[in-house]
Amino acid sequence: MPATDHLTSLAPPWVHLVVLKPGERAESAVGSPHGFVTTVVDGRRARSKAALIEEVTRAFRCPQGTGRNWDALEECLADLEWLPAAGYVLVIDNADELLAESPDDYRTFIELLKDVAGEWAAPRNGQWARPAAPFHVDLAVTDGREAARTDWSVPRLAREGG
């Protein structure tokens, strides 16, 4: 059973690199705490900025008409009122393929994810009040594929037996 302690924390880091053993499935390795919404995006289907935004908005069931740019994606992920949960986990499987056709967008995407997680980590007051909730992203790659990117810009998650 995977350790999910990092997923229930409101503290950074919110984005991790998870190195999988051969044959290990990302969803199984990452796990999902009770009451959380866990979504999986395949990095092979998110090789460009446009494809990534499409896959993430589909995975989180963002409302029709959500714009297809960084600002709209950030707004969608920071809202999620249509998907109530105790917390959120985005798993990007085959992350070595993530934005392979748009490598300059990778750092922008990681910063966007960190910003969204930071927003979720603080309670929101006022008209759109909501409690703080964990929002974590695990970039999953098979052992040996972590060298596909020279700088992941996120820490590697220490795993038992890994």
Side-chain angles (χ1 to χ4, degrees):
M1 177 168 217
T4 58
D5 291 347
H6 77 286
L7 298 176
T8 59
S9 173
L10 293 173
W14 297 297
V15 185
H16 287 96
L17 176 65
V18 177
V19 179
L20 306 173
K21 298 171 187 153
E24 187 176 27
R25 292 178 39 101
E27 305 93 302
S28 301
V30 171
S32 182
H34 179 72
F36 276 48
V37 168
T38 298
T39 59
V40 180
V41 169
D42 189 335
R44 295 173 296 194
R45 296 177 52 104
R47 295 176 52 84
S48 69
K49 176 183 173 182
L52 167 67
I53 291 172
E54 182 66 31
E55 288 298 311
V56 173
T57 57
R58 179 196 52 74
F60 279 99
R61 296 180 246 152
C62 296
Q64 289 288 348
T66 297
R68 298 300 188 232
N69 58 50
W70 290 132
D71 290 339
L73 179 62
E74 183 171 1
E75 186 176 308
C76 172
L77 294 178
D79 185 354
L80 299 177
E81 71 177 26
W82 58 91
L83 202 59
Y88 302 89
V89 179
L90 169 59
V91 178
I92 301 180
D93 197 11
N94 300 299
D96 51 308
E97 297 286 331
L98 176 67
L99 292 166
E101 295 171 11
S102 306
D104 292 341
D105 288 319
Y106 176 79
R107 192 172 304 277
T108 301
F109 180 56
I110 296 300
E111 289 307 313
L112 178 148
L113 294 172
K114 291 176 182 177
D115 290 347
V116 166
E119 285 188 48
W120 276 103
R124 187 185 294 165
N125 299 311
Q127 183 177 359
W128 293 285
R130 62 154 174 75
F135 184 102
H136 288 273
V137 181
D138 285 340
L139 306 172
V141 296
T142 303
D143 188 28
R145 294 298 303 155
E146 68 269 28
R149 188 177 306 276
T150 57
D151 181 10
W152 287 93
S153 301
V154 300
R156 181 173 172 164
L157 183 66
R159 298 174 57 211
E160 289 182 26

